Each structure stands twice: as structure tokens, then as C-alpha cells.
Amino acid sequence: MSDTPSPKFLGQNSPLPSSPEEAALDYVPNPREGSLYLVRFAAPEFTSLCPVTGQPDFAHLVIDYAPEKTIVESKSLKLFLGSFRNHCGFHEDVTVGIGQRLVEEMQPRWLRIGGYWYPRGGIPIDVFWQSGTPPEGLWVPDQGVQSYRGRG
Amino acid sequence: MSDTPSPKFLGQNSPLPSSPEEAALDYVPNPREGSLYLVRFAAPEFTSLCPVTGQPDFAHLVIDYAPEKTIVESKSLKLFLGSFRNHCGFHEDVTVGIGQRLVEEMQPRWLRIGGYWYPRGGIPIDVFWQSGTPPEGLWVPDQGVQSYRGRG
Amino acid sequence: MSDTPSPKFLGQNSPLPSSPEEAALDYVPNPREGSLYLVRFAAPEFTSLCPVTGQPDFAHLVIDYAPEKTIVESKSLKLFLGSFRNHCGFHEDVTVGIGQRLVEEMQPRWLRIGGYWYPRGGIPIDVFWQSGTPPEGLWVPDQGVQSYRGRG
Amino acid sequence: MSDTPSPKFLGQNSPLPSSPEEAALDYVPNPREGSLYLVRFAAPEFTSLCPVTGQPDFAHLVIDYAPEKTIVESKSLKLFLGSFRNHCGFHEDVTVGIGQRLVEEMQPRWLRIGGYWYPRGGIPIDVFWQSGTPPEGLWVPDQGVQSYRGRG
Amino acid sequence: MSDTPSPKFLGQNSPLPSSPEEAALDYVPNPREGSLYLVRFAAPEFTSLCPVTGQPDFAHLVIDYAPEKTIVESKSLKLFLGSFRNHCGFHEDVTVGIGQRLVEEMQPRWLRIGGYWYPRGGIPIDVFWQSGTPPEGLWVPDQGVQSYRGRG
Amino acid sequence: MSDTPSPKFLGQNSPLPSSPEEAALDYVPNPREGSLYLVRFAAPEFTSLCPVTGQPDFAHLVIDYAPEKTIVESKSLKLFLGSFRNHCGFHEDVTVGIGQRLVEEMQPRWLRIGGYWYPRGGIPIDVFWQSGTPPEGLWVPDQGVQSYRGRG
Amino acid sequence: MSDTPSPKFLGQNSPLPSSPEEAALDYVPNPREGSLYLVRFAAPEFTSLCPVTGQPDFAHLVIDYAPEKTIVESKSLKLFLGSFRNHCGFHEDVTVGIGQRLVEEMQPRWLRIGGYWYPRGGIPIDVFWQSGTPPEGLWVPDQGVQSYRGRG
Amino acid sequence: MSDTPSPKFLGQNSPLPSSPEEAALDYVPNPREGSLYLVRFAAPEFTSLCPVTGQPDFAHLVIDYAPEKTIVESKSLKLFLGSFRNHCGFHEDVTVGIGQRLVEEMQPRWLRIGGYWYPRGGIPIDVFWQSGTPPEGLWVPDQGVQSYRGRG
Amino acid sequence: MSDTPSPKFLGQNSPLPSSPEEAALDYVPNPREGSLYLVRFAAPEFTSLCPVTGQPDFAHLVIDYAPEKTIVESKSLKLFLGSFRNHCGFHEDVTVGIGQRLVEEMQPRWLRIGGYWYPRGGIPIDVFWQSGTPPEGLWVPDQGVQSYRGRG
Amino acid sequence: MSDTPSPKFLGQNSPLPSSPEEAALDYVPNPREGSLYLVRFAAPEFTSLCPVTGQPDFAHLVIDYAPEKTIVESKSLKLFLGSFRNHCGFHEDVTVGIGQRLVEEMQPRWLRIGGYWYPRGGIPIDVFWQSGTPPEGLWVPDQGVQSYRGRG
Ligand SMILES: [Ca+2]
Ligand SMILES: [Ca+2]
Ligand SMILES: [Ca+2]
Ligand SMILES: [Ca+2]
Ligand SMILES: [Ca+2]
Ligand SMILES: [Ca+2]
Ligand SMILES: [Ca+2]
Ligand SMILES: [Ca+2]
Ligand SMILES: [Ca+2]
Ligand SMILES: [Ca+2]
Ligand SMILES: [Ca+2]
Ligand SMILES: [Ca+2]
Ligand SMILES: [Ca+2]
Ligand SMILES: [Ca+2]
Ligand SMILES: [Ca+2]
Ligand SMILES: [Ca+2]
């Protein structure tokens, strides 16, 4: 198997970046380059701020991607997602924006993000974006996040 | 077994009462008077109005009682619950109030009501009231309404 | 262990009795007489008729009992429950009545019945009756029938 | 990312419109115009009236759409759905009608609505409509609303 | 939206038909004629008789269809399904037969029926029939009825 | 509808066959011949023996098929499955073998079998076989047997 | 029923307080004073900071209390919980501290708080505190938050 | 901690005993003698024969006990349970009999057995026995086996 | 609230101790000393070795305790549990031993441990120990770990 | 059916190999060669080490394959998976590497592996790889492993 890379954050203490702009994602060599496979991250600990009311919003995010040259190191992803803590944005904008930044920087074969937001006014919003039709031969299971049901 | 009573609403068309005050509950003879048993109604179709904002509120209600002389006919209960459609009240007030009206009118051996309200501001309220400690020897299973969990 | 009894219905073809009155329950010797234990039957295939509208009603029944001298043979129980197919009765009356007939005929140490009826007017009724407080030392797990939740 | 729009209702107090005709939906610029993505709203707090009996009906609605120029602001959607409170309509008509109004006004790339109605006569109705086959490359997860199961 | 039709059974008391042959289904104008959509009925309260042993059988039925000129009024469907109470038929025959009768009389664009029968001899039978491949562009979610699992 | 056939085992007492070779399956006329539909059997009560260690193995089997001229009578299927009680075979061999015997004898349009075996060494094996690609227009829902999860 | 109080935050826009010390909880008159009942809040949107690493922590909180003279208005509770966003504290300290502040200020008959924290190092911590044994006659259902299970 | 005992069956190949009488249970020293604790075995792979019809029966068994001098080695328990494969017995008799044999031979402080049998005639039987009221201070969680629900 | 202690492991890199004897647990001052509350750890990532066969065993552990002077820092607990990776022990011994070591070192008011082990020979073992009857007034919810069910 | 092969490990005691390199997988003749079918292994007991921190990692693995000439004997698979206990590797590398080794050695028609890893930093990683598009006519159900959800 491949050599061990030296991640920038994993195994060290790293402060939370103060905004998405200041957060640096760490991309390490794909240990199985040339293989078509999928990596899925589930991030149930996400929060940002509403641009109209300033109130906190919460989401459960799931990110799927098929790596090309690099994979994203998961501690840097955690710090990047944490950097939205004081960021203002609409659900649609934040969710699609996270997916598009990863695509631009990592240049994966393919990427998909699902944002499952907590209800406001009794109505939750989910946002689903992908960089295109999944590549032929890639196995992409359902994200399987449970639908919102209210009470009862 | 007992004779068949003649309910006031069951088997007939009845308009929705315009307020709880105008709704008449129908109490019929307890067909098993002298037996200590529990009747449970689950009413997932309940709505009233917020007294501060005027916006609709929704709840899933569960009512348990041990009958004495009468039982409440379920169609009249349905119409009574439907009569809250244009009624303004806080969650705590509406839930406990429904339980106390049934107790006052029906004089059961014992009664319990659980109100499981839909979230507002991301936080649902549940209200639990009973007329006293359950009578010795009465079997009262948990209401078993699933806890609210947000997303993920 | 005990000798094998000769049940009246098990292992033979038996027509459905036309009413509860015509149904005969078969009680066989308790193979563990003197032991305090619980027998639970779950009967999700139960139907009777509404005494007011004549429409079919459906229920899921669960019966728990602690045997004394005899146990009830399960095929005869099935035929007895099936005999309610053309019987008219209120939910409260039918449920408690089934429990009380078993108590009168079998004379168990203790018996409990839960009747979980399908919704009418959007509101299901559950009925819970027991012959008394469970005997000291008897193990009686929850019946664990899922609460009704409407949709969503 | 995009500038913050000024919604008509979000962050303000707004009375419930008295009918769907009087409700105004608020469409704001799509913050990710040009990206093919899906927005899902789950609305478990929906009620209207039966046109034959006048009795209240309840539904859990789920709306999926792929935006074009605009997105629908969620507080205005909440008010629009609340405006059906005194509206009479068949399940099929109300569900498809909500979807078609959104399509006509918002002109999204694509839209789908699922209406999961509470049981009447022991039988719930679900209604599923979409504006056409989903666009190539759009990711549309199952709505995943649990099937109705009666009791037991 | 469309005018309100006058159903034959809804809002009135109607006796249970004594056989499927005597049951009349009520078809009312499709309020959204020209729209391709799906209607789903879940009917967990179904019972018929075994043609060999005469014993009661129970099933949970789910019917999906895409209307053409008419929709089937749900109370008449309830009465039709109730009319199988004294009808003898094999699981396969009854399930497919209900689907085919609806197709012949209603002439929908498409129809599917799933019959989920209670276990006999420890083995349940499910029957799945459809009138053909679903029409292009129709959205047909899974029926999502839970698989039988025995105990444990 | 069709005439009632005379099954060989249903409605009679039948001893358990001592091996799969001695078990006779009973095929009765397809009551809906000419219709393309699916029959599903769930058989959670299956046991055979390990050919290496002689220890009992257990499985939950699900069989799906589209009938042609005949259907398999379910009591004969139960007896056939019971006849594996003293049969030695690997999981792969037993599962596929059951499917292939049914195909050879019944000549259905199509057949699929899923064998969900209990864990050995902490690892369960599932086996999935089908006679070919499902026929065009046949509706084949997922078998939906829950994945094994260990503990926690 | 009681008069409508004038809450300080409900129905108005209110900025998030910058710390728990700056947050003011709003206590309004108990609309059912004299009745012994329970109010439950579920707050799945809670976040604070780790006092050692400065990293964000997340929790799902459930608060149960039996009111005396006042009830806590839920929007003020939401703002109070939101004020922990930049607060540093151990799981045990934050959870018990929230409960004790509510007890000190509101003087309820009884209060209980459950804090269900997201895993760190693969191990979640739950914290359970109550102000004493629940009062005789108060009905306190289980909080029913699902146990953490890792994967599989 | 304690020395390692030498079990009779664990780590060796052992044929299945031909009857419960021939099965020998292996009791090894309690490694935590003097501590009051509970051991739970879940045995979902159990089968015996019906004494009336000779047909196979299946059960999911759960055994709880508080050890005194010895604990039962789990491979010997597996072989003992497997020895019922050709044993005829009623559900009540087999379940209670297994519990009583373990009590007689092992002399634990306390023991409980739950037998969850697969349905016959559409009705499953559960049997619950314990050797007495649980000892003061012993922690005995619910066995938590899901209730039988038929279909739907 | 209390001052922040300086944990020995949290916020630093720490190698896995090679055995339970070498692992040092870190006890920090109870930030809410004097309050009677419960701390629950769920540890689904536990593995040790079988003392007879040398094969790996896996368990899901849940530890509940009521602190006195100190609380156990969770990273040190994680390292302690990880130190069992090469330790040989029976399920009963390991589970109770972990509980007793924590009691001896930490001297809590009370402690309980549940060990939910993965199946061997098709039968999982659960072990439940507590240091005594829970203190009066302490709130101890069920651990709620799902029962083992085999397949189907 | 086929002759019984003589596996290298099944029915014997075998020590755990010290590394994946030293583990030998045992391939036995495919008992149903020529049939296109799928074998699924679920392995919830998997652990390896993090190459950066040296800390233990845990995963639930599911392997699906369509055999050609041989099948992999499950006890040898268990030993192979157990040999990763002291192996260091990234989640992506370990998961894809296990799949690729099986493909190279066994030369199946097709293979897929899903690795569902326990969370680190609150974020679990899932890895999905397959050797190519599934062969035409092979039935491959979803692996159905539940999505990670955090708490609540
Ligand atoms: Ca809300
Ligand atoms: Ca959550
Ligand atoms: Ca209804
Ligand atoms: Ca319980
Ligand atoms: Ca609901
Ligand atoms: Ca049912
Ligand atoms: Ca059965
Ligand atoms: Ca699906
Ligand atoms: Ca095992
Ligand atoms: Ca409880
Ligand atoms: Ca697990
Ligand atoms: Ca096993
Ligand atoms: Ca409980
Ligand atoms: Ca099972
Ligand atoms: Ca973690
Ligand atoms: Ca699927």
C-alpha cells in the first residue's frame, strides 16, 4: 500500500478558522489513485447564521465524492465546516457553496452534497447538489437521511 | 353484553362546532361499568392558534382515562377537538384545559393527557397532565410517542 | 416433562364458529402447574362490526395471562377470536368482554388484555383491562405495541 | 457568495392570508443561479376542509424543486400553505394545485409534490405529481415518507 | 379549481355490500384531468376467506394509479374492499382481481396493486401486479411496506 | 374468478418429508394466467446443517417469482423448506439450489431467491440468485430484509 | 381560560445574547397555576465550546419541569440556549448549569435536564440531572432519546 | 483478575447432542464471585417439534441470570439449546423447562427466561418465567424483544 | 461556573497504553460537586481477546455513574478502554472488572456498566453490573441498547 | 448438489494471522459454478490503526461478490479481516485494498466493498468501491447500512 502522508492538522491542535475564507483545506495524495471509488462524510455538527435575522441555523451535511489525484483530509474538513460558525448565508447558498468550493480546489472526478437543515417555521429545507451525473461504474448508495416528520 | 346506546353524532353528519365552548361532548353509558379499565385516544389531527402571533399551531394529543359511569363517544370527541381550529391558546393552557374539561364533565375515575406540539423556533413543547396518581390496579402503558429529534 | 394432551382443534380442520356464544375454548392441563409464569398471545387478525353503523372494525389484540390449572389451547383461541367476525360491539365492550370471558372460564391467576383498534374519524381507541394487580413475582413485560402516529 | 435579498415576510410579523387566492408567494433571486440543484420543503403542518362534509383534513406535504431564476422564500411558503386552513378541496385537487401554482409563478426547471393525507374511513390517500421527468443530472432522493400501516 | 362533484356514498350512511359483485364503485370526474399524477390508497383493513379451509385471511393492500377521466371516490373503495368479507379466494386471485376490476371500470392510465397477506404456516405471501410499465414521466415512489420478519 | 383447485396438502395433516429429495411440491393452476405478476414468500423459519461441522444453520429466506402456468401451493412449499432440517449444505449451495429446483419444476416466467443466513464467526452470509433479468413490465419491489449490524 | 400575557421576545425580532450571563429568560404567569403538570422542551440545536481545545461541541438537550407560579416563555429559552454559542464549558458543567439556573430563577416545583452530547474520541457523554425526586402524582414520561450506537 | 478455566467444549469440535437429556451443560467458576451482576444470552436460533402435529416450531429465546458460584459456558449452552432439534414439546413447557433445568443445575441467585415463538395460526405465543422476584440491587434491563405485528 | 482543570491527555497526543494495568485514568474535580447527577459514556469501539481461543472479541459498552469528588476525563477513559486491545478475558470478567476499577479509583456515589458483546456461536452475551441500588433521587434512564435479533 | 470440500480453517482452531500479508485466504470450489449469483458478507467486527496517530480505528464492512470458479471460505475471511488488528492504514486505503486483494486472488466475476467507519472528530467516513459496473442480470440489493446521525 501507499506511503503515509503528513497531514497539516491531523495529530495536532488547530484553532477553529474564523471564516470559510480563512479556512485552508488539506488535500493529500489519493492512496488508491486510478481506482474509481466513493468517499462519504457525514457531518451532523454544522451551524451558520441566518443573513436576515442573524439567528443560528443548524444542518446535517453529507458529502460524497470520487477522488482523482487527492483526497481531502478529514480534520481539515472538520475545521472548514466549523468555520461557518459566524458566517451568514441562506441554506441554498451555503450548501451548494461548500460543494462547489471542494470541487474547485480538489478537482475530484465527481462530488455531491446533501444539506438537511433543521426546521424554521415548522418547515425544514433540504438542499441537494452534484457536480454532474455520477461517472459510469461508480457506486453511490443513497444518503439515507431520514425524512422530517414533525411529531406523533 | 350491554344494550346499544344511541349516540348523538356517530352515524350522522355533524358540522364542526365553531369554538370549544359551543362543542358538546356526548357521554354514553359505560358498557363495562364496575370494571377498572383504561381507554386511550390518539388524536394526531389537532390545530389551534397562537394567542400572541395568531399563527396556527399543531399538536398530536393522546388522552387516557379510566371510565366511571360513562364513556365519551369518539365522534363527539373528534368534533370537540376540531372546535379548537379557531381558538387561541398557549400550548400549556390548551392541553391541560382539554384534560380538565373532560374530567369535569365525565367524572372519570382518572384521566391523563399528553400534548406533543410541533416545534416553534426549533424547539417543540410537550405537556403532560393527569388528574392524580393512577388508581391502584389500573394498567396504564406508556403513551410511547417518539421524542423529537431535529434532523440527521 | 408432562404427558401430551389431546386438543380438540389442533391438528384437525375446524369451521369458524358463527358467534362468540357458539365458540368453545379448549383448556388443557397446565404443563408447568405450580410455576408462576406468563403466556402472551398477539392476535393482529381481529375484526368485528360497529353496533351503530354496521361497518367492520379491526383491532390488534394482545392477551397476557398467568395460568393456574389449565392453559388455553391456541387454535381454540384463534377460532374464538374469529367468531367475532359478525358480532356487533363497541371497542370498549368487545375488548374487556374477551378478557372477562377467559377469566371466568379458565380461572387463571391473572389476565390482561390490550385492544389496539384501527382509527375511526382519524382517532384510534386502545382499551386496556386486567383482572387485578399482577401477582407478586410474575414477570410482565410491556406489550410494546407501537403508538398510532397518523402520517409523516 | 451572493448579496442578501430583502424578503417580504422573513424577519417580520405577517398575518395568515385568508385564502390561497389572497396569499402572495415571495420569490427571491436564486443565489446559485446556473447550478442545477434541488430544494426540498417538508411541511407536516397542513390542513384544509373536505368539500363534501366540511370536516377538516390534514396532510404532510413534501415539495421538491430545481430553481431557475428564483427560489421561493420559506416564510412566504409557510403562509401560503397556512392559507388553505379554510379552503375546501379534494386531496387530489389540493395537492396537484399547490404544485401547479408554484410551477406557474416560479417557473422552476422542475418541481414535484407529494401529499400524504391522514386516513379517512381507515384508508389514507397519497398524491404524487411532478411537472415532468426530472432533468438529466439533477439529484432527487426519495422523499422517504413512511408508509401508512394501521395498528399493530 | 374544479367544481365539487356529488359522491354516491361520501357524507351518507351506506351498508356494506354483501359481495364484490354487489359492490358499486363510484367514479367522479378527475379534478386535474390532463395532469399526469399518482393516487395511492393504503388499506390495512382487508379480510376475505380461504377457498379451501373457509378460514379468514387478512391482508394489507396498497393501490397506486394514474387517473385518466375519473378518480375513484374513496368511500366507495372502502365499501368495495369491505365486500370481500365473505368472499372466498386465493391470495393471488383476490389481489390481482381487485386491480383488474379497477382497471376495467375506471380505465386509468396505469394501475398497480400490492397485497401483503398475513402469514399462514409461518409464511406470508405478497402479491404484486401492475397494468403495465409505468407511463414515462409518472412519479411512483416505493410502497415501502415493511418486509415480514418473524420474531426476534 | 377461477375455480378452486384441490391442493394435496392444504387443509390436511402432512408429515414433514425427511429430505429435500422426498419432498413433493404441489403446483396448482395459475388463477390469473396471462397476467404478469409477482408472488413473494417470506420464510423466516429455515434450518439445515453445516456439511463440515454438522452444526445447525439458520436462515431467513425470501422467494419471488412470476408465475406462468402454475403457482406453488404454500403449504407444500412450507413442507419442502422444512425437509432441509437434516440436510447438509453450504449456504451458497442450499440457497441457489432451492431457487433452481423451483425453476426446473414450476417453469415460472422468472424467479429470485434471497438467503439471509445467521452469523457464523461473527459474519453472516447473504446469497442472492435470480433466473435472469426480471421480465420487462414486472414489478419487483426490494426484499427489504434489514442488514446485519452486530451490536450497539 | 387565562388572559394572554405579553411576552418580551415572542412576536418580535430579538438579537442573540452574547453570553449566558447577558441572556434574560422571560417568565410569564402559569396559565394553569395550581395544576400539577409537566412541560418538556426538546432542543436539538445546541452548541458551545470546549474549555480545553476551544473546539465546538454540540448537544441535544431535553428539559422537563413542573411549573409553580410561572412558566418559561419558549422564545426566551431559545435565545438563552443560543447564548452558549461562544461559551466554554465541560459537558457536565454546562448541562447541570442550565438546569440549575432555571431552577434558581423560575422556582418550579421540580425540574430535570438531559444533555445528550455528540461523540468526542468516539465516545459520547450524556448528563442527567434533576432537582430532586419527582413530586408524587406528577407524570414524567421517559425522555426517549435514542442511545448512541456507532455504526453498523 | 481470575485464572482461565478449561471449558469442556469451547475451542473444540463437539457434535450436537441428540436430546436435551443427553446434553451436558458446562459450568465454570464465576470469575467475579461475590459480585451481584446479570448475564444475558440471546438465542435467536432455536427449534423444536410440535407434540401434536410433529411440525417444526421456532423460537427466539432470551435468558437472564445472576450467577452464584458458577457461570454457564456459552458453547455448552449452544449445544444444549441445539439438542431440542428433535424434541417434542409445547411452547409453555419447553420455555419454562429450559429455565428450570438451568436453575436446578447451576443454582444461580436468580434466573429469567423469555421465549418468543413464531406465529401459528397467525398468533405467536410468548412465554415469560422467572425463578422469583429479582434480588434487591440487581440491575435487570428489559429484554426489549420487539412485539409481533403481523403485516402493514 | 468552575475553573478549567488541566487534563493529562485531552488536547495532546497520547499513545495507546499496552495493557489495562499500564493505563492511567485521569480524574478531574467534579465541576458540580454537591449536585446529584449522572454521567453516561457510550463506547461502541471496544475489543479484547478470548482467553481460550485467542480470537478477538468485540463489545459495545455503556458506563453510567454519579460523581462524588471527581469526574473521569473522557480521553483518559478512551485510552483505558483501548488498552484492552491485547488483553485476554471472559466477557463477564472484563465487563465487571472495568466497572469495579472505576469504582475503586474514582469512588463515585454509584456506578453501573452494561457490556453488550457481539455474538459467538450465534449467541451474544450481555453483562450488567452496578455498585449497588441507585441512590435515592438520582435519575437513571434505561441504557436503551437494542436487543440482538439475528436475521430477518 | 456438489461434493463437500475440505476447508483449511473451518472446523479447526486457527491462530489470528499477525498481518494482512501473513493471512492466507481459503478459496474453495464454487458449488454452483455457472450460476450468476451474489454472496454478501457483513463484518461488523473490524479494527485497524491510524497511520498518523497510532490510535485504533473501527469499521463495519460489507463485501458483495459474484463468484466465478471459487468462493471464499468464511472462516478464512474472518481471519484475514482480523489480521488488520495491528495494521496501520487510512480508511480509504484499507477499504479499497481489501476489495482489490480479494479480486486479485479470487478472480470473481465482480466485487463490491463498503466500509462504514466510526466517527473521528464527529465525522464518520464511508468508502465505497467496486470492480466495475455489476454484470448484466446479477441481482445486487442495497447494502442498507444505516446512515450516521449523531445524537437526538
Ligand atoms: Ca420550527
Ligand atoms: Ca441530530
Ligand atoms: Ca380514519
Ligand atoms: Ca418497559
Ligand atoms: Ca405527524
Ligand atoms: Ca397491521
Ligand atoms: Ca402463521
Ligand atoms: Ca427506493
Ligand atoms: Ca458469531
Ligand atoms: Ca417506560
Ligand atoms: Ca456496531
Ligand atoms: Ca454468530
Ligand atoms: Ca423503559
Ligand atoms: Ca428472526
Ligand atoms: Ca468522534
Ligand atoms: Ca433503495
Side-chain angles (χ1 to χ4, degrees), chain J residues 27-76:
Chain J
Y27 302 99
V28 300
N30 177 352
R32 292 281 160 176
E33 202 188 329
S35 298
L36 181 62
Y37 69 96
L38 189 86
V39 180
R40 168 170 297 170
F41 295 107
E45 308 183 23
F46 184 85
T47 181
S48 57
L49 300 172
C50 172
V52 175
T53 65
Q55 297 293 323
D57 283 327
F58 287 77
H60 176 106
L61 303 180
V62 183
I63 300 168
D64 291 342
Y65 75 100
E68 179 67 81
K69 292 270 171 51
T70 58
I71 57 174
V72 57
E73 192 278 317
S74 72
K75 188 168 178 186
S76 76

Side-chain angles (χ1 to χ4, degrees), chain F residues 110-130:
Chain F
W110 176 82
L111 185 144
R112 162 184 287 185
I113 183 169
Y116 307 85
W117 295 80
Y118 285 58
R120 292 291 167 265
I123 298 179
I125 299 182
D126 294 344
V127 182
F128 303 100
W129 178 79
Q130 60 188 1

Side-chain angles (χ1 to χ4, degrees), chain H residues 75-89:
Chain H
K75 188 168 177 186
S76 77
L77 179 70
K78 174 190 160 173
L79 292 167
F80 170 57
L81 296 179
S83 77
F84 282 81
R85 197 171 180 86
N86 297 309
H87 174 88
C88 296

